[in-house]
mmCIF file with all atom_site columns, all heavy atoms in Angstrom:
data_model
loop_
_atom_site.group_PDB
_atom_site.id
_atom_site.type_symbol
_atom_site.label_atom_id
_atom_site.label_alt_id
_atom_site.label_comp_id
_atom_site.label_asym_id
_atom_site.label_entity_id
_atom_site.label_seq_id
_atom_site.pdbx_PDB_ins_code
_atom_site.Cartn_x
_atom_site.Cartn_y
_atom_site.Cartn_z
_atom_site.occupancy
_atom_site.B_iso_or_equiv
_atom_site.pdbx_formal_charge
_atom_site.auth_seq_id
_atom_site.auth_comp_id
_atom_site.auth_asym_id
_atom_site.auth_atom_id
_atom_site.pdbx_PDB_model_num
ATOM 1   N N   . THR A 1 46 ? -0.846 1.710  4.823   1.00 0.00 ? 1416 THR A N   1
ATOM 2   C CA  . THR A 1 46 ? -0.606 3.012  4.206   1.00 0.00 ? 1416 THR A CA  1
ATOM 3   C C   . THR A 1 46 ? -1.447 4.068  4.902   1.00 0.00 ? 1416 THR A C   1
ATOM 4   O O   . THR A 1 46 ? -2.634 3.873  5.126   1.00 0.00 ? 1416 THR A O   1
ATOM 5   C CB  . THR A 1 46 ? -0.970 2.987  2.706   1.00 0.00 ? 1416 THR A CB  1
ATOM 6   O OG1 . THR A 1 46 ? -0.248 1.942  2.062   1.00 0.00 ? 1416 THR A OG1 1
ATOM 7   C CG2 . THR A 1 46 ? -0.639 4.314  2.039   1.00 0.00 ? 1416 THR A CG2 1
ATOM 8   N N   . TYR A 1 47 ? -0.819 5.177  5.216   1.00 0.00 ? 1417 TYR A N   1
ATOM 9   C CA  . TYR A 1 47 ? -1.514 6.324  5.790   1.00 0.00 ? 1417 TYR A CA  1
ATOM 10  C C   . TYR A 1 47 ? -1.679 7.368  4.693   1.00 0.00 ? 1417 TYR A C   1
ATOM 11  O O   . TYR A 1 47 ? -0.700 7.747  4.042   1.00 0.00 ? 1417 TYR A O   1
ATOM 12  C CB  . TYR A 1 47 ? -0.721 6.905  6.963   1.00 0.00 ? 1417 TYR A CB  1
ATOM 13  C CG  . TYR A 1 47 ? -1.505 7.914  7.755   1.00 0.00 ? 1417 TYR A CG  1
ATOM 14  C CD1 . TYR A 1 47 ? -2.339 7.509  8.782   1.00 0.00 ? 1417 TYR A CD1 1
ATOM 15  C CD2 . TYR A 1 47 ? -1.428 9.267  7.465   1.00 0.00 ? 1417 TYR A CD2 1
ATOM 16  C CE1 . TYR A 1 47 ? -3.072 8.425  9.520   1.00 0.00 ? 1417 TYR A CE1 1
ATOM 17  C CE2 . TYR A 1 47 ? -2.159 10.191 8.194   1.00 0.00 ? 1417 TYR A CE2 1
ATOM 18  C CZ  . TYR A 1 47 ? -2.974 9.764  9.219   1.00 0.00 ? 1417 TYR A CZ  1
ATOM 19  O OH  . TYR A 1 47 ? -3.702 10.668 9.927   1.00 0.00 ? 1417 TYR A OH  1
ATOM 20  N N   . VAL A 1 48 ? -2.911 7.829  4.479   1.00 0.00 ? 1418 VAL A N   1
ATOM 21  C CA  . VAL A 1 48 ? -3.213 8.822  3.450   1.00 0.00 ? 1418 VAL A CA  1
ATOM 22  C C   . VAL A 1 48 ? -3.611 10.117 4.145   1.00 0.00 ? 1418 VAL A C   1
ATOM 23  O O   . VAL A 1 48 ? -4.579 10.146 4.893   1.00 0.00 ? 1418 VAL A O   1
ATOM 24  C CB  . VAL A 1 48 ? -4.366 8.352  2.532   1.00 0.00 ? 1418 VAL A CB  1
ATOM 25  C CG1 . VAL A 1 48 ? -4.637 9.378  1.453   1.00 0.00 ? 1418 VAL A CG1 1
ATOM 26  C CG2 . VAL A 1 48 ? -4.053 6.994  1.929   1.00 0.00 ? 1418 VAL A CG2 1
ATOM 27  N N   . TYR A 1 49 ? -2.859 11.181 3.886   1.00 0.00 ? 1419 TYR A N   1
ATOM 28  C CA  . TYR A 1 49 ? -3.164 12.482 4.470   1.00 0.00 ? 1419 TYR A CA  1
ATOM 29  C C   . TYR A 1 49 ? -4.250 13.157 3.637   1.00 0.00 ? 1419 TYR A C   1
ATOM 30  O O   . TYR A 1 49 ? -4.363 12.924 2.440   1.00 0.00 ? 1419 TYR A O   1
ATOM 31  C CB  . TYR A 1 49 ? -1.909 13.353 4.506   1.00 0.00 ? 1419 TYR A CB  1
ATOM 32  C CG  . TYR A 1 49 ? -0.825 12.747 5.339   1.00 0.00 ? 1419 TYR A CG  1
ATOM 33  C CD1 . TYR A 1 49 ? 0.117  11.893 4.776   1.00 0.00 ? 1419 TYR A CD1 1
ATOM 34  C CD2 . TYR A 1 49 ? -0.750 13.001 6.697   1.00 0.00 ? 1419 TYR A CD2 1
ATOM 35  C CE1 . TYR A 1 49 ? 1.113  11.318 5.543   1.00 0.00 ? 1419 TYR A CE1 1
ATOM 36  C CE2 . TYR A 1 49 ? 0.241  12.429 7.477   1.00 0.00 ? 1419 TYR A CE2 1
ATOM 37  C CZ  . TYR A 1 49 ? 1.166  11.589 6.888   1.00 0.00 ? 1419 TYR A CZ  1
ATOM 38  O OH  . TYR A 1 49 ? 2.137  11.013 7.650   1.00 0.00 ? 1419 TYR A OH  1
ATOM 39  N N   . ASP A 1 50 ? -5.031 14.033 4.249   1.00 0.00 ? 1420 ASP A N   1
ATOM 40  C CA  . ASP A 1 50 ? -6.164 14.625 3.524   1.00 0.00 ? 1420 ASP A CA  1
ATOM 41  C C   . ASP A 1 50 ? -5.731 15.477 2.341   1.00 0.00 ? 1420 ASP A C   1
ATOM 42  O O   . ASP A 1 50 ? -6.482 15.644 1.401   1.00 0.00 ? 1420 ASP A O   1
ATOM 43  C CB  . ASP A 1 50 ? -7.089 15.385 4.471   1.00 0.00 ? 1420 ASP A CB  1
ATOM 44  C CG  . ASP A 1 50 ? -6.471 16.647 5.042   1.00 0.00 ? 1420 ASP A CG  1
ATOM 45  O OD1 . ASP A 1 50 ? -5.432 17.117 4.544   1.00 0.00 ? 1420 ASP A OD1 1
ATOM 46  O OD2 . ASP A 1 50 ? -7.033 17.174 6.008   1.00 0.00 ? 1420 ASP A OD2 1
ATOM 47  N N   . GLY A 1 51 ? -4.548 16.041 2.340   1.00 0.00 ? 1421 GLY A N   1
ATOM 48  C CA  . GLY A 1 51 ? -4.027 16.737 1.173   1.00 0.00 ? 1421 GLY A CA  1
ATOM 49  C C   . GLY A 1 51 ? -4.714 18.037 0.819   1.00 0.00 ? 1421 GLY A C   1
ATOM 50  O O   . GLY A 1 51 ? -4.707 18.449 -0.337  1.00 0.00 ? 1421 GLY A O   1
ATOM 51  N N   . ARG A 1 52 ? -5.307 18.716 1.774   1.00 0.00 ? 1422 ARG A N   1
ATOM 52  C CA  . ARG A 1 52 ? -6.024 19.961 1.491   1.00 0.00 ? 1422 ARG A CA  1
ATOM 53  C C   . ARG A 1 52 ? -5.128 21.013 0.858   1.00 0.00 ? 1422 ARG A C   1
ATOM 54  O O   . ARG A 1 52 ? -5.595 21.870 0.129   1.00 0.00 ? 1422 ARG A O   1
ATOM 55  C CB  . ARG A 1 52 ? -6.616 20.543 2.758   1.00 0.00 ? 1422 ARG A CB  1
ATOM 56  C CG  . ARG A 1 52 ? -7.787 19.780 3.277   1.00 0.00 ? 1422 ARG A CG  1
ATOM 57  C CD  . ARG A 1 52 ? -8.288 20.420 4.520   1.00 0.00 ? 1422 ARG A CD  1
ATOM 58  N NE  . ARG A 1 52 ? -7.403 20.015 5.609   1.00 0.00 ? 1422 ARG A NE  1
ATOM 59  C CZ  . ARG A 1 52 ? -7.613 20.274 6.872   1.00 0.00 ? 1422 ARG A CZ  1
ATOM 60  N NH1 . ARG A 1 52 ? -8.655 20.978 7.221   1.00 0.00 ? 1422 ARG A NH1 1
ATOM 61  N NH2 . ARG A 1 52 ? -6.797 19.863 7.796   1.00 0.00 ? 1422 ARG A NH2 1
ATOM 62  N N   . ASN A 1 53 ? -3.849 20.996 1.150   1.00 0.00 ? 1423 ASN A N   1
ATOM 63  C CA  . ASN A 1 53 ? -2.969 22.064 0.703   1.00 0.00 ? 1423 ASN A CA  1
ATOM 64  C C   . ASN A 1 53 ? -2.116 21.707 -0.512  1.00 0.00 ? 1423 ASN A C   1
ATOM 65  O O   . ASN A 1 53 ? -1.267 22.486 -0.915  1.00 0.00 ? 1423 ASN A O   1
ATOM 66  C CB  . ASN A 1 53 ? -2.055 22.491 1.861   1.00 0.00 ? 1423 ASN A CB  1
ATOM 67  C CG  . ASN A 1 53 ? -2.856 23.015 3.044   1.00 0.00 ? 1423 ASN A CG  1
ATOM 68  O OD1 . ASN A 1 53 ? -3.867 23.684 2.851   1.00 0.00 ? 1423 ASN A OD1 1
ATOM 69  N ND2 . ASN A 1 53 ? -2.426 22.694 4.236   1.00 0.00 ? 1423 ASN A ND2 1
ATOM 70  N N   . LEU A 1 54 ? -2.307 20.547 -1.092  1.00 0.00 ? 1424 LEU A N   1
ATOM 71  C CA  . LEU A 1 54 ? -1.516 20.171 -2.261  1.00 0.00 ? 1424 LEU A CA  1
ATOM 72  C C   . LEU A 1 54 ? -2.262 20.514 -3.550  1.00 0.00 ? 1424 LEU A C   1
ATOM 73  O O   . LEU A 1 54 ? -3.485 20.406 -3.618  1.00 0.00 ? 1424 LEU A O   1
ATOM 74  C CB  . LEU A 1 54 ? -1.199 18.676 -2.249  1.00 0.00 ? 1424 LEU A CB  1
ATOM 75  C CG  . LEU A 1 54 ? -0.203 18.209 -1.209  1.00 0.00 ? 1424 LEU A CG  1
ATOM 76  C CD1 . LEU A 1 54 ? 0.038  16.721 -1.346  1.00 0.00 ? 1424 LEU A CD1 1
ATOM 77  C CD2 . LEU A 1 54 ? 1.114  18.952 -1.313  1.00 0.00 ? 1424 LEU A CD2 1
ATOM 78  N N   . PRO A 1 55 ? -1.533 20.888 -4.592  1.00 0.00 ? 1425 PRO A N   1
ATOM 79  C CA  . PRO A 1 55 ? -2.196 21.212 -5.865  1.00 0.00 ? 1425 PRO A CA  1
ATOM 80  C C   . PRO A 1 55 ? -2.726 19.958 -6.560  1.00 0.00 ? 1425 PRO A C   1
ATOM 81  O O   . PRO A 1 55 ? -2.288 18.837 -6.277  1.00 0.00 ? 1425 PRO A O   1
ATOM 82  C CB  . PRO A 1 55 ? -1.076 21.855 -6.683  1.00 0.00 ? 1425 PRO A CB  1
ATOM 83  C CG  . PRO A 1 55 ? 0.193  21.337 -6.092  1.00 0.00 ? 1425 PRO A CG  1
ATOM 84  C CD  . PRO A 1 55 ? -0.091 21.094 -4.640  1.00 0.00 ? 1425 PRO A CD  1
ATOM 85  N N   . TYR A 1 56 ? -3.680 20.171 -7.470  1.00 0.00 ? 1426 TYR A N   1
ATOM 86  C CA  . TYR A 1 56 ? -4.238 19.124 -8.336  1.00 0.00 ? 1426 TYR A CA  1
ATOM 87  C C   . TYR A 1 56 ? -4.919 17.997 -7.572  1.00 0.00 ? 1426 TYR A C   1
ATOM 88  O O   . TYR A 1 56 ? -5.096 16.904 -8.100  1.00 0.00 ? 1426 TYR A O   1
ATOM 89  C CB  . TYR A 1 56 ? -3.157 18.540 -9.259  1.00 0.00 ? 1426 TYR A CB  1
ATOM 90  C CG  . TYR A 1 56 ? -2.360 19.580 -9.974  1.00 0.00 ? 1426 TYR A CG  1
ATOM 91  C CD1 . TYR A 1 56 ? -1.026 19.806 -9.652  1.00 0.00 ? 1426 TYR A CD1 1
ATOM 92  C CD2 . TYR A 1 56 ? -2.949 20.379 -10.953 1.00 0.00 ? 1426 TYR A CD2 1
ATOM 93  C CE1 . TYR A 1 56 ? -0.294 20.784 -10.303 1.00 0.00 ? 1426 TYR A CE1 1
ATOM 94  C CE2 . TYR A 1 56 ? -2.220 21.362 -11.607 1.00 0.00 ? 1426 TYR A CE2 1
ATOM 95  C CZ  . TYR A 1 56 ? -0.895 21.559 -11.275 1.00 0.00 ? 1426 TYR A CZ  1
ATOM 96  O OH  . TYR A 1 56 ? -0.180 22.525 -11.911 1.00 0.00 ? 1426 TYR A OH  1
ATOM 97  N N   . GLY A 1 57 ? -5.277 18.212 -6.330  1.00 0.00 ? 1427 GLY A N   1
ATOM 98  C CA  . GLY A 1 57 ? -5.963 17.183 -5.560  1.00 0.00 ? 1427 GLY A CA  1
ATOM 99  C C   . GLY A 1 57 ? -5.079 16.021 -5.144  1.00 0.00 ? 1427 GLY A C   1
ATOM 100 O O   . GLY A 1 57 ? -5.584 14.951 -4.798  1.00 0.00 ? 1427 GLY A O   1
#
Side-chain angles (χ1 to χ4, degrees):
T1416 304
Y1417 191 86
V1418 181
Y1419 299 90
D1420 69 14
R1422 288 180 281 187
N1423 299 323
L1424 289 182
Y1426 311 110

